[in-house]
Amino acid sequence: MKKVEVLAPAGNLPSLRAAVDNGADAVYFGFRDATNARNFEGLNFSESEAAQGIAHARGHGVKANVVLNTFPQVGNPEPWYHAVDVAANLKADAIILANAAMLKYCHERHPQLPIHLSVQASASNAEAIRFYKRHFNIARVILPRVLTAPEIRRLHDKLEDVELEVFAFGGLCVMAEGRCHLSSFVTGVSPNIEGVCSPARAVRFENLNGKLRTRLGGALIAEYQEGEDAAYPTICKGRFEANDRVYHVMEEPGSLNILEILPQVIESGVASLKIEGRQRTKSYVATVTKTLRQAVDSYYEDPSAYRVKPAWVRTLNATSEGTTHTLGTYEESWQ
Amino acid sequence: MIQIAIGPVLFDWGRSALKAFYRRMAHETPADILYLGEVICSKRQGLSLEDVAELAREIKPTGKELVLSTLGLVMSDAEQEDLHRLKDLAIALDLKIEANDMAGIGAAEGHRLVAGPHVNVYNPQTLDFLQEVGVERMVFPVELPESSIRGIVSAPRAHPVAFELFAHGKLPLTFSARCYTARAFKLSKANCQYKCGDFPDGMVTRTQEGEGLLTMNGIQTMSEKVHTLIADVPRLAPLGIDIVRISPQSQHMNDIIAIWRQTLDGELAPEEALTRLQRCNNDEPFCNGYFHGQPGMAFHRA
């Protein structure tokens, strides 16, 4: 069996270099505009930076995937077509696409460029993945965070000609990616259209008698007691009232971390383990890449002897929102 | 003339209530199109395929169109098998299928399709492609503003397509693998005890300041407020909208549809219609922000 790939995020060139230095097999990055779903200020790559990034990665035997995972805007689709052409001209190892029109364009215009179906396309079943394979010859699908580990295994058994990529670590989308309007409902800014979820300009922190309140688009997301860590306010991690209780109605703030079930995930046949966080710092990328590299190598040295090392957990906990970790949907009981 | 569609019932009303609802909508309202099928959760015990076939036979003489809606988030093998059974039934009964996941498009490719609001069509190029695989009608994603809708409707295209707009009801905002109704009772989805059945209009979720924000409906999250575009009716025909969708709620559906029909026909002024609809909404505020390029929860006054 082919060894699983460690795939690291890069929000800029220093992060890309950090990923390469710390043992990533592949990196992914997007261009500095609305064509990708981490369209934050000061983040992402110009065309010349992309060229440098790809050259640097390739020089170290690391693959470089270009992300183009938002939906072209009505009346202004040119930046998206242009970005596909640039990725093809730069000979990226793969392009990550979410939109059927972009998939069609890339498949017809650049058939040599491998296509990875973005998580934003929300293809969570064999029928949908086969549809994308049939029409656009996708090489890989990035699975939305809705499937359990056994479901991923069954999917792999059914789809021999499409690689599977799954999220291994990082911020956890609780919803089916690409199909969530919670941000636009409250802030007017949509991940699907603008490439941004819960923009900082819609966030307010208020101090009220020692209690900290967080707001998004005016809506109260959570209230914290003195000394409690406050999470960045998103609707899906908010503390609301339902069924006569106040609780995290959808999900507690925290990070996905699959180390505990790494053998099960690798043995389900996935090709790539993805680290979330193009918006995170260079040191986050370095730390998480290095730790996942160690864990994966430790598994392959002796799969039956694989154990999560306490040092890995300590290191990873230091990087994540709050300090809680979850296996998320990979465990059925989460659902 | 703009037609009225009644969207698929998104709540867990159970078999007999669903049958009664569709009979009432078919015989007592001026709706033109009825969407029918489980969009939210395959665990719900709604209508069987036999029930659907029976309703289709009953509804046919009324002249209303019946469309079969597919599940919104398809995961299991059983759910994929259900898609094929639904497609076979649609072919046997000569009905369109509303796909709410690419799996629905894939399973029914080449058949007469409606791209539902959960299929991401954000630009005319995507619609061009979907037309190639059988899509004859699309329902806009709920978050699209009027300007984007105009861009899609007015783009030149080789074959005509019908445009449907989600115009009234709680907004379907997102799906998750997790069931939030079960979670509210500290249950897992696998052992949900069918709690959705206790919430005919979903479970209201408020901020800690008491502001109604969301509605939990199993694995779906919806708006707490009802979205309505009644005040925008004069803009819809010039925009090129063919069909308005009214999403079912447990009360007042006959009145809501009658008010919409009269407003679309110019017999009722939009302001007066809004006042009357307000009464069908327990005088709770509406939202309509998405259409006006604002946050979906906002209400834009004309």
Side-chain angles (χ1 to χ4, degrees), chain B residues 73-133:
Chain B
L73 180 63
V74 177
M75 295 187 283
S76 72
D77 292 347
E79 288 165 355
Q80 290 170 72
E81 287 157 18
D82 285 347
L83 284 178
H84 286 272
R85 278 195 280 272
L86 197 71
K87 175 198 68 178
D88 292 341
L89 182 66
I91 291 171
L93 298 172
D94 192 24
L95 304 175
K96 289 193 191 79
I97 288 184
E98 179 191 50
N100 285 303
D101 182 299
M102 269 310 185
I105 303 264
E109 184 170 348
H111 184 65
R112 305 176 66 194
L113 283 163
V114 179
H118 308 292
V119 170
N120 283 329
V121 182
Y122 281 78
N123 49 58
Q125 296 83 3
T126 303
L127 181 56
D128 292 343
F129 167 71
L130 290 175
Q131 283 193 280
E132 290 172 21
V133 296

Short mmCIF file of all heavy atoms in Angstrom, two decimals, chain B residues 73-133:
data_model
loop_
_atom_site.label_atom_id
_atom_site.label_comp_id
_atom_site.label_asym_id
_atom_site.label_seq_id
_atom_site.Cartn_x
_atom_site.Cartn_y
_atom_site.Cartn_z
N LEU B 73 -28.40 15.64 2.10
CA LEU B 73 -27.03 15.21 2.42
C LEU B 73 -27.02 13.69 2.38
O LEU B 73 -27.52 13.04 3.28
CB LEU B 73 -26.62 15.71 3.81
CG LEU B 73 -25.20 15.34 4.26
CD1 LEU B 73 -24.14 15.96 3.36
CD2 LEU B 73 -24.97 15.76 5.71
N VAL B 74 -26.46 13.16 1.29
CA VAL B 74 -26.48 11.72 1.06
C VAL B 74 -25.18 11.12 1.55
O VAL B 74 -24.10 11.58 1.18
CB VAL B 74 -26.67 11.43 -0.45
CG1 VAL B 74 -26.62 9.94 -0.72
CG2 VAL B 74 -27.99 12.03 -0.93
N MET B 75 -25.25 10.11 2.41
CA MET B 75 -24.04 9.50 2.93
C MET B 75 -24.03 7.98 2.80
O MET B 75 -23.10 7.42 2.28
CB MET B 75 -23.81 9.93 4.39
CG MET B 75 -23.54 11.43 4.51
SD MET B 75 -23.07 11.95 6.16
CE MET B 75 -24.64 11.96 6.97
N SER B 76 -25.07 7.31 3.26
CA SER B 76 -25.00 5.85 3.36
C SER B 76 -25.34 5.17 2.03
O SER B 76 -25.92 5.77 1.12
CB SER B 76 -25.97 5.37 4.43
OG SER B 76 -27.30 5.51 3.98
N ASP B 77 -24.98 3.89 1.96
CA ASP B 77 -25.33 3.08 0.80
C ASP B 77 -26.85 3.03 0.62
O ASP B 77 -27.37 3.13 -0.49
CB ASP B 77 -24.78 1.66 0.96
CG ASP B 77 -23.25 1.65 0.92
OD1 ASP B 77 -22.66 2.66 0.52
OD2 ASP B 77 -22.67 0.61 1.29
N ALA B 78 -27.54 2.85 1.75
CA ALA B 78 -29.00 2.74 1.69
C ALA B 78 -29.60 4.02 1.10
O ALA B 78 -30.55 3.97 0.31
CB ALA B 78 -29.56 2.48 3.08
N GLU B 79 -29.04 5.16 1.47
CA GLU B 79 -29.57 6.43 0.95
C GLU B 79 -29.33 6.54 -0.56
O GLU B 79 -30.15 7.09 -1.29
CB GLU B 79 -28.92 7.60 1.68
CG GLU B 79 -29.42 7.72 3.12
CD GLU B 79 -28.57 8.63 4.00
OE1 GLU B 79 -27.52 9.11 3.54
OE2 GLU B 79 -28.96 8.84 5.16
N GLN B 80 -28.22 5.99 -1.02
CA GLN B 80 -27.95 6.03 -2.46
C GLN B 80 -28.88 5.07 -3.20
O GLN B 80 -29.33 5.36 -4.31
CB GLN B 80 -26.47 5.70 -2.72
CG GLN B 80 -25.57 6.84 -2.24
CD GLN B 80 -24.11 6.48 -2.25
OE1 GLN B 80 -23.49 6.38 -3.29
NE2 GLN B 80 -23.53 6.28 -1.06
N GLU B 81 -29.18 3.93 -2.57
CA GLU B 81 -30.14 3.01 -3.20
C GLU B 81 -31.52 3.67 -3.27
O GLU B 81 -32.24 3.52 -4.27
CB GLU B 81 -30.19 1.70 -2.41
CG GLU B 81 -28.94 0.85 -2.62
CD GLU B 81 -28.69 -0.14 -1.48
OE1 GLU B 81 -29.63 -0.42 -0.71
OE2 GLU B 81 -27.54 -0.61 -1.36
N ASP B 82 -31.88 4.40 -2.21
CA ASP B 82 -33.17 5.11 -2.21
C ASP B 82 -33.26 6.10 -3.38
O ASP B 82 -34.32 6.27 -3.97
CB ASP B 82 -33.35 5.90 -0.90
CG ASP B 82 -33.71 5.00 0.27
OD1 ASP B 82 -34.06 3.83 0.02
OD2 ASP B 82 -33.62 5.46 1.42
N LEU B 83 -32.14 6.74 -3.70
CA LEU B 83 -32.15 7.71 -4.80
C LEU B 83 -32.55 7.03 -6.10
O LEU B 83 -33.32 7.56 -6.90
CB LEU B 83 -30.74 8.30 -5.01
CG LEU B 83 -30.25 9.35 -4.04
CD1 LEU B 83 -28.82 9.75 -4.42
CD2 LEU B 83 -31.16 10.55 -4.06
N HIS B 84 -32.01 5.83 -6.31
CA HIS B 84 -32.31 5.11 -7.54
C HIS B 84 -33.77 4.65 -7.58
O HIS B 84 -34.42 4.68 -8.62
CB HIS B 84 -31.33 3.96 -7.75
CG HIS B 84 -29.98 4.45 -8.17
ND1 HIS B 84 -29.65 4.66 -9.49
CD2 HIS B 84 -28.91 4.84 -7.46
CE1 HIS B 84 -28.41 5.14 -9.56
NE2 HIS B 84 -27.93 5.25 -8.34
N ARG B 85 -34.27 4.24 -6.40
CA ARG B 85 -35.70 3.85 -6.35
C ARG B 85 -36.59 5.06 -6.64
O ARG B 85 -37.58 4.94 -7.36
CB ARG B 85 -36.03 3.26 -4.98
CG ARG B 85 -35.63 1.78 -4.87
CD ARG B 85 -36.29 1.14 -3.66
NE ARG B 85 -35.54 1.47 -2.45
CZ ARG B 85 -34.52 0.74 -1.99
NH1 ARG B 85 -34.14 -0.36 -2.64
NH2 ARG B 85 -33.88 1.10 -0.90
N LEU B 86 -36.22 6.21 -6.10
CA LEU B 86 -37.00 7.42 -6.33
C LEU B 86 -36.97 7.80 -7.82
O LEU B 86 -37.98 8.18 -8.40
CB LEU B 86 -36.43 8.57 -5.47
CG LEU B 86 -37.34 9.77 -5.27
CD1 LEU B 86 -38.51 9.41 -4.35
CD2 LEU B 86 -36.57 10.93 -4.64
N LYS B 87 -35.78 7.65 -8.41
CA LYS B 87 -35.65 7.96 -9.83
C LYS B 87 -36.54 7.03 -10.66
O LYS B 87 -37.23 7.46 -11.58
CB LYS B 87 -34.19 7.82 -10.27
CG LYS B 87 -34.00 8.01 -11.76
CD LYS B 87 -32.68 7.45 -12.25
CE LYS B 87 -32.67 5.93 -12.17
NZ LYS B 87 -31.43 5.33 -12.68
N ASP B 88 -36.51 5.73 -10.33
CA ASP B 88 -37.33 4.77 -11.08
C ASP B 88 -38.81 5.12 -10.98
O ASP B 88 -39.56 5.04 -11.96
CB ASP B 88 -37.10 3.34 -10.55
CG ASP B 88 -35.68 2.85 -10.86
OD1 ASP B 88 -35.03 3.45 -11.76
OD2 ASP B 88 -35.22 1.90 -10.21
N LEU B 89 -39.21 5.53 -9.77
CA LEU B 89 -40.61 5.91 -9.57
C LEU B 89 -40.94 7.16 -10.40
O LEU B 89 -41.99 7.24 -11.04
CB LEU B 89 -40.89 6.17 -8.09
CG LEU B 89 -42.34 6.52 -7.74
CD1 LEU B 89 -43.25 5.33 -8.00
CD2 LEU B 89 -42.46 6.97 -6.28
N ALA B 90 -40.02 8.12 -10.38
CA ALA B 90 -40.25 9.36 -11.14
C ALA B 90 -40.41 9.06 -12.63
O ALA B 90 -41.26 9.63 -13.30
CB ALA B 90 -39.09 10.34 -10.92
N ILE B 91 -39.60 8.13 -13.12
CA ILE B 91 -39.69 7.76 -14.53
C ILE B 91 -41.03 7.07 -14.80
O ILE B 91 -41.74 7.41 -15.75
CB ILE B 91 -38.50 6.87 -14.94
CG1 ILE B 91 -37.21 7.70 -14.92
CG2 ILE B 91 -38.73 6.26 -16.32
CD1 ILE B 91 -35.93 6.90 -15.09
N ALA B 92 -41.41 6.15 -13.90
CA ALA B 92 -42.66 5.41 -14.08
C ALA B 92 -43.86 6.36 -14.07
O ALA B 92 -44.83 6.16 -14.79
CB ALA B 92 -42.80 4.36 -12.99
N LEU B 93 -43.80 7.40 -13.23
CA LEU B 93 -44.94 8.32 -13.08
C LEU B 93 -44.80 9.56 -13.96
O LEU B 93 -45.65 10.44 -13.93
CB LEU B 93 -45.08 8.75 -11.62
CG LEU B 93 -45.36 7.65 -10.59
CD1 LEU B 93 -45.27 8.21 -9.17
CD2 LEU B 93 -46.73 7.02 -10.83
N ASP B 94 -43.69 9.63 -14.71
CA ASP B 94 -43.41 10.79 -15.56
C ASP B 94 -43.37 12.10 -14.76
O ASP B 94 -44.05 13.07 -15.09
CB ASP B 94 -44.43 10.88 -16.70
CG ASP B 94 -43.99 11.88 -17.76
OD1 ASP B 94 -42.77 12.14 -17.85
OD2 ASP B 94 -44.86 12.43 -18.47
N LEU B 95 -42.59 12.08 -13.68
CA LEU B 95 -42.45 13.27 -12.84
C LEU B 95 -41.00 13.73 -12.86
O LEU B 95 -40.09 12.94 -13.06
CB LEU B 95 -42.82 12.94 -11.39
CG LEU B 95 -44.21 12.37 -11.15
CD1 LEU B 95 -44.37 12.00 -9.67
CD2 LEU B 95 -45.30 13.37 -11.56
N LYS B 96 -40.80 15.04 -12.63
CA LYS B 96 -39.44 15.55 -12.48
C LYS B 96 -38.89 15.17 -11.12
O LYS B 96 -39.66 14.92 -10.17
CB LYS B 96 -39.43 17.08 -12.58
CG LYS B 96 -39.70 17.65 -13.96
CD LYS B 96 -39.34 19.15 -13.94
CE LYS B 96 -39.82 19.87 -15.18
NZ LYS B 96 -41.25 20.19 -15.16
N ILE B 97 -37.56 15.18 -11.03
CA ILE B 97 -36.88 14.97 -9.75
C ILE B 97 -36.18 16.25 -9.35
O ILE B 97 -35.48 16.85 -10.16
CB ILE B 97 -35.84 13.84 -9.88
CG1 ILE B 97 -36.56 12.50 -10.00
CG2 ILE B 97 -34.87 13.83 -8.70
CD1 ILE B 97 -35.64 11.32 -10.04
N GLU B 98 -36.40 16.66 -8.09
CA GLU B 98 -35.62 17.77 -7.55
C GLU B 98 -34.41 17.19 -6.83
O GLU B 98 -34.55 16.55 -5.79
CB GLU B 98 -36.43 18.61 -6.56
CG GLU B 98 -35.59 19.75 -6.00
CD GLU B 98 -36.22 20.49 -4.81
OE1 GLU B 98 -36.66 19.83 -3.86
OE2 GLU B 98 -36.25 21.72 -4.87
N ALA B 99 -33.22 17.41 -7.39
CA ALA B 99 -31.99 16.92 -6.76
C ALA B 99 -31.51 17.93 -5.74
O ALA B 99 -31.44 19.13 -6.04
CB ALA B 99 -30.93 16.67 -7.82
N ASN B 100 -31.20 17.44 -4.56
CA ASN B 100 -30.71 18.34 -3.51
C ASN B 100 -29.28 18.03 -3.09
O ASN B 100 -28.79 18.52 -2.08
CB ASN B 100 -31.65 18.29 -2.31
CG ASN B 100 -32.93 19.04 -2.60
OD1 ASN B 100 -32.90 20.23 -2.91
ND2 ASN B 100 -34.05 18.35 -2.57
N ASP B 101 -28.61 17.19 -3.87
CA ASP B 101 -27.23 16.80 -3.63
C ASP B 101 -26.74 16.37 -5.02
O ASP B 101 -27.53 15.93 -5.84
CB ASP B 101 -27.24 15.60 -2.66
CG ASP B 101 -25.84 15.10 -2.26
OD1 ASP B 101 -25.07 14.67 -3.15
OD2 ASP B 101 -25.53 15.11 -1.07
N MET B 102 -25.44 16.50 -5.26
CA MET B 102 -24.93 16.06 -6.57
C MET B 102 -25.23 14.58 -6.80
O MET B 102 -25.32 14.14 -7.94
CB MET B 102 -23.44 16.32 -6.68
CG MET B 102 -23.09 17.67 -7.27
SD MET B 102 -23.94 18.06 -8.82
CE MET B 102 -23.16 19.61 -9.21
N ALA B 103 -25.38 13.82 -5.71
CA ALA B 103 -25.74 12.41 -5.89
C ALA B 103 -27.10 12.28 -6.58
O ALA B 103 -27.31 11.38 -7.38
CB ALA B 103 -25.77 11.70 -4.54
N GLY B 104 -28.01 13.20 -6.27
CA GLY B 104 -29.32 13.18 -6.92
C GLY B 104 -29.20 13.49 -8.40
O GLY B 104 -29.85 12.86 -9.24
N ILE B 105 -28.36 14.44 -8.74
CA ILE B 105 -28.11 14.77 -10.15
C ILE B 105 -27.46 13.54 -10.83
O ILE B 105 -27.87 13.14 -11.91
CB ILE B 105 -27.16 15.98 -10.28
CG1 ILE B 105 -27.72 17.20 -9.56
CG2 ILE B 105 -26.81 16.25 -11.74
CD1 ILE B 105 -28.49 18.20 -10.35
N GLY B 106 -26.47 12.96 -10.15
CA GLY B 106 -25.76 11.83 -10.73
C GLY B 106 -26.66 10.62 -10.94
O GLY B 106 -26.62 9.98 -11.99
N ALA B 107 -27.49 10.33 -9.93
CA ALA B 107 -28.35 9.14 -10.02
C ALA B 107 -29.41 9.31 -11.09
O ALA B 107 -29.82 8.34 -11.74
CB ALA B 107 -29.01 8.87 -8.66
N ALA B 108 -29.87 10.54 -11.30
CA ALA B 108 -30.97 10.76 -12.24
C ALA B 108 -30.50 11.49 -13.50
O ALA B 108 -31.29 12.10 -14.21
CB ALA B 108 -32.08 11.55 -11.55
N GLU B 109 -29.22 11.43 -13.78
CA GLU B 109 -28.66 12.13 -14.94
C GLU B 109 -29.41 11.77 -16.22
O GLU B 109 -29.67 10.60 -16.48
CB GLU B 109 -27.18 11.79 -15.10
CG GLU B 109 -26.53 12.57 -16.23
CD GLU B 109 -25.01 12.43 -16.26
OE1 GLU B 109 -24.43 11.92 -15.28
OE2 GLU B 109 -24.44 12.84 -17.27
N GLY B 110 -29.76 12.78 -16.98
CA GLY B 110 -30.46 12.55 -18.23
C GLY B 110 -31.97 12.56 -18.08
O GLY B 110 -32.72 12.73 -19.04
N HIS B 111 -32.43 12.37 -16.85
CA HIS B 111 -33.86 12.45 -16.57
C HIS B 111 -34.21 13.93 -16.40
O HIS B 111 -33.33 14.79 -16.32
CB HIS B 111 -34.17 11.65 -15.30
CG HIS B 111 -35.62 11.60 -14.98
ND1 HIS B 111 -36.53 10.96 -15.80
CD2 HIS B 111 -36.33 12.09 -13.94
CE1 HIS B 111 -37.73 11.09 -15.27
NE2 HIS B 111 -37.65 11.77 -14.15
N ARG B 112 -35.51 14.24 -16.33
CA ARG B 112 -35.92 15.65 -16.17
C ARG B 112 -35.66 16.08 -14.73
O ARG B 112 -36.28 15.56 -13.80
CB ARG B 112 -37.39 15.80 -16.53
CG ARG B 112 -37.69 15.26 -17.93
CD ARG B 112 -39.18 15.34 -18.22
NE ARG B 112 -39.60 16.72 -18.27
CZ ARG B 112 -40.88 17.09 -18.23
NH1 ARG B 112 -41.84 16.20 -18.10
NH2 ARG B 112 -41.19 18.38 -18.29
N LEU B 113 -34.76 17.04 -14.56
CA LEU B 113 -34.29 17.40 -13.23
C LEU B 113 -34.60 18.85 -12.86
O LEU B 113 -34.61 19.73 -13.72
CB LEU B 113 -32.77 17.23 -13.16
CG LEU B 113 -32.23 15.80 -13.02
CD1 LEU B 113 -30.75 15.76 -13.37
CD2 LEU B 113 -32.45 15.30 -11.60
N VAL B 114 -34.81 19.04 -11.57
CA VAL B 114 -34.81 20.38 -10.98
C VAL B 114 -33.57 20.43 -10.08
O VAL B 114 -33.37 19.52 -9.28
CB VAL B 114 -36.07 20.63 -10.12
CG1 VAL B 114 -36.02 22.03 -9.49
CG2 VAL B 114 -37.34 20.43 -10.95
N ALA B 115 -32.73 21.43 -10.23
CA ALA B 115 -31.61 21.61 -9.31
C ALA B 115 -32.17 22.36 -8.10
O ALA B 115 -32.55 23.52 -8.19
CB ALA B 115 -30.49 22.41 -9.96
N GLY B 116 -32.26 21.66 -6.97
CA GLY B 116 -32.87 22.24 -5.78
C GLY B 116 -31.98 23.30 -5.14
O GLY B 116 -30.85 23.52 -5.58
N PRO B 117 -32.49 23.94 -4.08
CA PRO B 117 -31.74 25.04 -3.47
C PRO B 117 -30.44 24.58 -2.81
O PRO B 117 -29.60 25.41 -2.49
CB PRO B 117 -32.71 25.58 -2.41
CG PRO B 117 -33.66 24.46 -2.13
CD PRO B 117 -33.77 23.69 -3.40
N HIS B 118 -30.29 23.27 -2.62
CA HIS B 118 -29.08 22.76 -1.97
C HIS B 118 -28.01 22.34 -2.97
O HIS B 118 -26.96 21.84 -2.59
CB HIS B 118 -29.43 21.60 -1.04
CG HIS B 118 -30.53 21.96 -0.09
ND1 HIS B 118 -30.34 22.87 0.91
CD2 HIS B 118 -31.84 21.59 -0.02
CE1 HIS B 118 -31.49 23.03 1.57
NE2 HIS B 118 -32.40 22.27 1.01
N VAL B 119 -28.30 22.50 -4.27
CA VAL B 119 -27.28 22.29 -5.29
C VAL B 119 -26.70 23.66 -5.59
O VAL B 119 -27.43 24.61 -5.85
CB VAL B 119 -27.88 21.66 -6.57
CG1 VAL B 119 -26.88 21.68 -7.71
CG2 VAL B 119 -28.33 20.23 -6.28
N ASN B 120 -25.39 23.77 -5.50
CA ASN B 120 -24.77 25.10 -5.59
C ASN B 120 -24.70 25.61 -7.02
O ASN B 120 -23.82 25.23 -7.77
CB ASN B 120 -23.37 25.05 -4.99
CG ASN B 120 -23.40 25.05 -3.47
OD1 ASN B 120 -24.31 25.62 -2.87
ND2 ASN B 120 -22.43 24.42 -2.85
N VAL B 121 -25.64 26.47 -7.37
CA VAL B 121 -25.59 27.14 -8.68
C VAL B 121 -25.42 28.63 -8.41
O VAL B 121 -26.37 29.33 -8.06
CB VAL B 121 -26.87 26.88 -9.50
CG1 VAL B 121 -26.75 27.55 -10.87
CG2 VAL B 121 -27.11 25.39 -9.66
N TYR B 122 -24.20 29.10 -8.54
CA TYR B 122 -23.89 30.49 -8.20
C TYR B 122 -23.57 31.32 -9.43
O TYR B 122 -23.26 32.51 -9.31
CB TYR B 122 -22.70 30.55 -7.22
CG TYR B 122 -23.08 30.24 -5.80
CD1 TYR B 122 -23.30 28.93 -5.39
CD2 TYR B 122 -23.26 31.25 -4.86
CE1 TYR B 122 -23.67 28.64 -4.08
CE2 TYR B 122 -23.61 30.97 -3.55
CZ TYR B 122 -23.82 29.68 -3.17
OH TYR B 122 -24.18 29.40 -1.88
N ASN B 123 -23.59 30.71 -10.61
CA ASN B 123 -23.25 31.46 -11.81
C ASN B 123 -23.85 30.78 -13.03
O ASN B 123 -24.19 29.59 -12.99
CB ASN B 123 -21.72 31.59 -11.94
CG ASN B 123 -21.04 30.25 -11.76
OD1 ASN B 123 -21.32 29.30 -12.48
ND2 ASN B 123 -20.17 30.14 -10.76
N PRO B 124 -23.99 31.53 -14.13
CA PRO B 124 -24.66 30.96 -15.31
C PRO B 124 -23.89 29.80 -15.93
O PRO B 124 -24.50 28.90 -16.51
CB PRO B 124 -24.76 32.15 -16.28
CG PRO B 124 -23.97 33.26 -15.71
CD PRO B 124 -23.72 32.98 -14.27
N GLN B 125 -22.56 29.79 -15.78
CA GLN B 125 -21.77 28.72 -16.37
C GLN B 125 -22.11 27.37 -15.73
O GLN B 125 -22.12 26.33 -16.41
CB GLN B 125 -20.27 29.01 -16.22
CG GLN B 125 -19.78 30.24 -16.97
CD GLN B 125 -20.01 31.55 -16.20
OE1 GLN B 125 -20.48 31.57 -15.06
NE2 GLN B 125 -19.68 32.66 -16.84
N THR B 126 -22.35 27.38 -14.42
CA THR B 126 -22.72 26.13 -13.73
C THR B 126 -24.07 25.63 -14.22
O THR B 126 -24.28 24.44 -14.45
CB THR B 126 -22.75 26.37 -12.21
OG1 THR B 126 -21.48 26.86 -11.81
CG2 THR B 126 -23.04 25.08 -11.46
N LEU B 127 -24.98 26.58 -14.42
CA LEU B 127 -26.31 26.19 -14.93
C LEU B 127 -26.19 25.62 -16.34
O LEU B 127 -26.86 24.64 -16.68
CB LEU B 127 -27.25 27.40 -14.89
CG LEU B 127 -28.67 27.15 -15.36
CD1 LEU B 127 -29.33 26.02 -14.58
CD2 LEU B 127 -29.50 28.43 -15.24
N ASP B 128 -25.32 26.22 -17.17
CA ASP B 128 -25.10 25.68 -18.53
C ASP B 128 -24.72 24.21 -18.44
O ASP B 128 -25.25 23.37 -19.17
CB ASP B 128 -23.94 26.42 -19.23
CG ASP B 128 -24.27 27.86 -19.55
OD1 ASP B 128 -25.47 28.20 -19.53
OD2 ASP B 128 -23.33 28.63 -19.82
N PHE B 129 -23.79 23.91 -17.54
CA PHE B 129 -23.36 22.51 -17.41
C PHE B 129 -24.51 21.64 -16.93
O PHE B 129 -24.75 20.55 -17.46
CB PHE B 129 -22.17 22.40 -16.45
CG PHE B 129 -21.90 20.99 -16.04
CD1 PHE B 129 -21.37 20.08 -16.95
CD2 PHE B 129 -22.24 20.54 -14.77
CE1 PHE B 129 -21.17 18.74 -16.60
CE2 PHE B 129 -22.03 19.21 -14.41
CZ PHE B 129 -21.49 18.31 -15.32
N LEU B 130 -25.23 22.10 -15.92
CA LEU B 130 -26.32 21.27 -15.38
C LEU B 130 -27.41 21.03 -16.41
O LEU B 130 -28.04 19.96 -16.41
CB LEU B 130 -26.89 21.92 -14.10
CG LEU B 130 -25.95 21.89 -12.90
CD1 LEU B 130 -26.55 22.66 -11.72
CD2 LEU B 130 -25.64 20.45 -12.47
N GLN B 131 -27.61 21.99 -17.29
CA GLN B 131 -28.60 21.76 -18.37
C GLN B 131 -28.17 20.58 -19.25
O GLN B 131 -29.00 19.83 -19.73
CB GLN B 131 -28.77 23.02 -19.21
CG GLN B 131 -29.63 24.07 -18.53
CD GLN B 131 -30.04 25.16 -19.51
OE1 GLN B 131 -29.27 26.06 -19.80
NE2 GLN B 131 -31.25 25.06 -20.05
N GLU B 132 -26.87 20.44 -19.42
CA GLU B 132 -26.37 19.33 -20.25
C GLU B 132 -26.71 17.97 -19.64
O GLU B 132 -26.78 16.97 -20.34
CB GLU B 132 -24.84 19.41 -20.41
CG GLU B 132 -24.36 20.56 -21.26
CD GLU B 132 -22.84 20.69 -21.21
OE1 GLU B 132 -22.15 19.70 -20.86
OE2 GLU B 132 -22.35 21.80 -21.49
N VAL B 133 -26.87 17.91 -18.31
CA VAL B 133 -27.15 16.63 -17.67
C VAL B 133 -28.62 16.47 -17.30
O VAL B 133 -28.98 15.51 -16.61
CB VAL B 133 -26.24 16.38 -16.43
CG1 VAL B 133 -24.79 16.28 -16.86
CG2 VAL B 133 -26.43 17.46 -15.37
#
